[in-house]
Amino acid sequence: MRDHSVRAIPRTQSSIALSTDGERWLLCNASPDLHRQIDAAPALQPRGPVRGSPIAGVLLVDGQIDHTAGLLLMRESAAPIEVWSTDAVREDLSGGLPLLPVLDHYSGARWYRLPLGEPLHIPPLPGAELIALPVPGKPGPYSPHRAHPRDGDNIALVVRDERSGARLLYAPGLAMPTAPVLAAMKDCACVLVDGSFWSDDEMIRAGVSRKTAREIGHLPLSGPGGMLETLGSLPAATRRILIHVNNTNPILDEDSAERAMLAAAGIEVAYDGMEIAV
Amino acid sequence: MRDHSVRAIPRTQSSIALSTDGERWLLCNASPDLHRQIDAAPALQPRGPVRGSPIAGVLLVDGQIDHTAGLLLMRESAAPIEVWSTDAVREDLSGGLPLLPVLDHYSGARWYRLPLGEPLHIPPLPGAELIALPVPGKPGPYSPHRAHPRDGDNIALVVRDERSGARLLYAPGLAMPTAPVLAAMKDCACVLVDGSFWSDDEMIRAGVSRKTAREIGHLPLSGPGGMLETLGSLPAATRRILIHVNNTNPILDEDSAERAMLAAAGIEVAYDGMEIAV
């Protein structure tokens, strides 16, 4: 967004960090913009010159480069990086884009299975229950499975705080909210969902791609069955936040009609350094 | 450098961009910090919402992650990325760290051979002659050749402006300046050389590594045969600039005794956005 006639905040690639104790953080997706994101988030910064990072693990919702290349930036970690992903994502990150074997030549990586649809407890998030729900989509273009997607290529992550019972859902790529994903969204205090594109043909009209939003795994915000309609079906108290916003999306212009429609619908747009408590 | 008692400018990974016409730029090394570097360099920024980048090509001096992972950030380029490297680096970037085949699933990459010791003219730098000089060192840790280095794993790049005759040398990793490299340095108006470490055991003393500077391919600045001594042997008019400065290096502290020694020797320390005309 270098057009200064537009009032828009530059944003880096979609990642979030979760913590239940404010000490240890689970990074959800390792963006190539990781350094800029850490700059914007004091809680993620190392606390001493040699002490380790507060990032206690990384959970990947898919194997896309924008969600995984940041692992390379963590290769000088003091200890092996703890990584949670589905089997499908592990396979892609061991083959077509072999970040996990590459890390083995540096700090190392310890991989843990993220099962589909089963509650999981992991050390970086004590007191929280995680559930990964499969989301229809495709693996990264580099994947040998690109033409034959598997369950687990993409997931939505549900995190439940066991003290408060409050749930949060994170789904930066959500081409089609399935019945289980929709049901999970309705149970959440806060949803962080795919806000990539306003309209399905947005990138074609902008001349930057020949593909529609749906073809690359993103439900457009507007139109029948779009994300706004989906979010409109949630209970009134649900906090709705759009993430993974593409730079062609008119909602980045804070003075746009589209942004005004979001505001009227009570939908927020995430920004670097945003903090959310549930 | 998060210790605010030290007066130091944060720096991203070593890359430079060269241009003979101010329009087209050759990026020398594609750092994972590429986005921040482009932010700091208006000449490298796209000139319209859809127009291509002024970056007309990428030349790699080695296959290290800090010099190559930025290729992944260029994968949405409008045209295939033009990449120059030695055969050794191409092999590593096609195998252990297969960035070139990964790019083929996005914008694509067109690879061109960077021969050793032979003058070369390339389209991104009209009116300039390039020579790649082999530099002793090792390929990246991920390389199957790590234990058996090859000529071309690392190079120093000499660029000669054919109008002015002025030469520039770029060598971010220079464990041992060979006779040909030293001779080339003496012919240059400006040298941009390895300023990674002040002392050979700097990272060991800082507790961040068990390896010496020389073991990982960097000549320390201080001590007998060090980079300061080497730079001291150059003609008085040579502009001497240190690049690739590690965050353990005391010269980053602008108030340090080590920095004062550099100033007394007429040696500069590069910074993001620095512009050099030769």
Side-chain angles (χ1 to χ4, degrees):
Chain A
M1 296 303 300
R2 301 194 190 283
D3 177 353
H4 294 293
S5 64
V6 172
R7 197 159 63 90
I9 308 167
R11 286 170 166 85
T12 58
Q13 299 298 336
S14 143
S15 298
I16 63 170
L18 299 171
S19 181
T20 46
D21 61 11
E23 292 292 324
R24 281 168 290 185
W25 292 80
L26 176 71
L27 187 65
C28 295
N29 295 326
S31 150
D33 289 319
L34 184 62
H35 288 155
R36 283 199 288 193
Q37 292 169 346
I38 291 174
D39 284 348
L44 300 183
Q45 294 168 9
R47 277 156 211 159
V50 183
R51 285 261 310 278
S53 162
I55 298 174
V58 181
L59 183 149
L60 306 171
V61 303
D62 57 40
Q64 299 287 346
I65 288 176
D66 277 340
H67 285 157
T68 58
L71 289 171
L72 292 176
L73 304 180
M74 303 172 76
R75 71 189 184 281
E76 308 288 2
S77 302
I81 308 166
E82 316 245 299
V83 178
W84 281 262
S85 81
T86 62
D87 286 315
V89 169
R90 181 198 201 183
E91 185 186 339
D92 282 348
L93 296 185
S94 303
L97 183 68
L99 300 180
L100 297 174
V102 166
L103 285 175
D104 285 338
H105 296 282
Y106 300 86
S107 62
R110 281 199 199 109
W111 178 84
Y112 302 94
R113 173 169 295 109
L114 191 57
L116 291 172
E118 285 172 31
L120 181 72
H121 292 82
I122 67 176
L125 280 187
E129 182 189 87
L130 277 60
I131 297 188
L133 298 174
V135 163
K138 291 176 185 171
Y142 64 81
S143 168
H145 297 276
R146 177 76 167 177
H148 306 284
R150 302 150 292 179
D151 259 14
D153 283 328
N154 302 273
I155 61 148
L157 178 71
V158 179
V159 183
R160 188 172 71 92
D161 185 313
E162 294 183 322
R163 283 164 303 182
S164 67
R167 288 182 173 85
L168 175 144
L169 178 139
Y170 172 61
L174 194 52
M176 198 206 313
T178 58
V181 169
L182 202 53
M185 287 171 76
K186 288 183 177 167
D187 274 345
C188 281
C190 178
V191 297
L192 289 147
V193 293
D194 190 344
S196 303
F197 301 104
W198 181 260
S199 47
D200 202 34
D201 62 350
E202 181 172 314
M203 286 203 300
I204 298 169
R205 282 187 290 113
V208 296
S209 172
R210 292 179 193 163
K211 296 196 172 146
T212 66
R214 284 186 171 88
E215 279 172 352
I216 60 166
H218 299 288
L219 185 66
L221 292 166
S222 64
M227 188 62 81
L228 296 192
E229 201 177 285
T230 305
L231 293 177
S233 71
L234 303 183
T238 313
R239 190 167 173 194
R240 304 129 209 253
I241 302 173
L242 299 178
I243 50 168
H244 201 269
V245 183
N246 197 58
N247 61 6
T248 52
N249 193 328
I251 65 172
L252 288 176
D253 176 357
E254 305 198 10
D255 300 320
S256 65
E258 292 85 354
R259 184 63 169 262
M261 286 174 67
L262 295 187
I267 297 171
E268 301 169 69
V269 182
Y271 51 86
D272 285 17
M274 186 177 194
E275 293 182 18
I276 300 164
V278 292
Chain B
M1 299 302 302
R2 302 194 190 282
D3 177 352
H4 294 293
S5 64
V6 172
R7 196 160 64 91
I9 308 167
R11 285 169 168 84
T12 57
Q13 298 297 337
S14 145
S15 298
I16 63 169
L18 300 171
S19 181
T20 47
D21 60 12
E23 293 290 325
R24 283 167 289 186
W25 291 80
L26 176 71
L27 187 66
C28 295
N29 295 327
S31 149
D33 289 321
L34 184 61
H35 289 156
R36 284 200 286 194
Q37 292 169 344
I38 292 176
D39 284 349
L44 300 183
Q45 293 167 10
R47 279 159 208 157
V50 182
R51 285 262 311 277
S53 162
I55 299 174
V58 181
L59 184 149
L60 306 171
V61 305
D62 57 39
Q64 300 285 346
I65 288 176
D66 277 340
H67 284 157
T68 59
L71 290 172
L72 292 176
L73 304 179
M74 302 173 76
R75 73 189 183 281
E76 308 287 4
S77 301
I81 308 167
E82 314 245 301
V83 179
W84 280 263
S85 82
T86 62
D87 285 315
V89 170
R90 181 198 200 182
E91 185 185 340
D92 282 348
L93 296 186
S94 304
L97 182 68
L99 300 180
L100 297 174
V102 166
L103 284 175
D104 285 338
H105 296 282
Y106 300 85
S107 64
R110 282 201 197 106
W111 178 83
Y112 301 94
R113 174 171 294 109
L114 191 56
L116 291 172
E118 284 174 31
L120 181 72
H121 293 82
I122 67 175
L125 279 186
E129 183 189 87
L130 276 60
I131 296 188
L133 299 173
V135 163
K138 289 177 185 171
Y142 64 80
S143 168
H145 297 276
R146 177 77 167 176
H148 307 284
R150 300 151 293 178
D151 258 15
D153 282 328
N154 302 272
I155 60 149
L157 178 70
V158 179
V159 184
R160 188 172 72 89
D161 184 313
E162 294 183 322
R163 283 164 304 185
S164 68
R167 287 182 173 83
L168 176 144
L169 179 140
Y170 172 62
L174 193 52
M176 198 206 313
T178 58
V181 168
L182 203 54
M185 287 170 77
K186 288 183 176 167
D187 273 345
C188 281
C190 178
V191 298
L192 288 147
V193 293
D194 190 343
S196 304
F197 301 104
W198 182 260
S199 47
D200 202 35
D201 62 351
E202 181 173 313
M203 286 203 299
I204 298 168
R205 281 186 292 113
V208 296
S209 172
R210 290 176 194 165
K211 297 199 171 143
T212 66
R214 283 187 172 88
E215 279 172 351
I216 59 167
H218 299 287
L219 185 67
L221 292 165
S222 66
M227 187 62 80
L228 296 191
E229 200 176 286
T230 305
L231 293 176
S233 71
L234 302 184
T238 313
R239 189 166 175 195
R240 304 128 209 254
I241 303 172
L242 299 178
I243 50 169
H244 201 270
V245 183
N246 197 59
N247 61 5
T248 52
N249 193 327
I251 65 171
L252 289 176
D253 176 357
E254 306 198 10
D255 299 320
S256 64
E258 292 85 353
R259 184 62 169 260
M261 287 174 68
L262 295 186
I267 297 170
E268 301 169 68
V269 182
Y271 53 85
D272 285 17
M274 186 178 194
E275 294 184 17
I276 301 164
V278 293

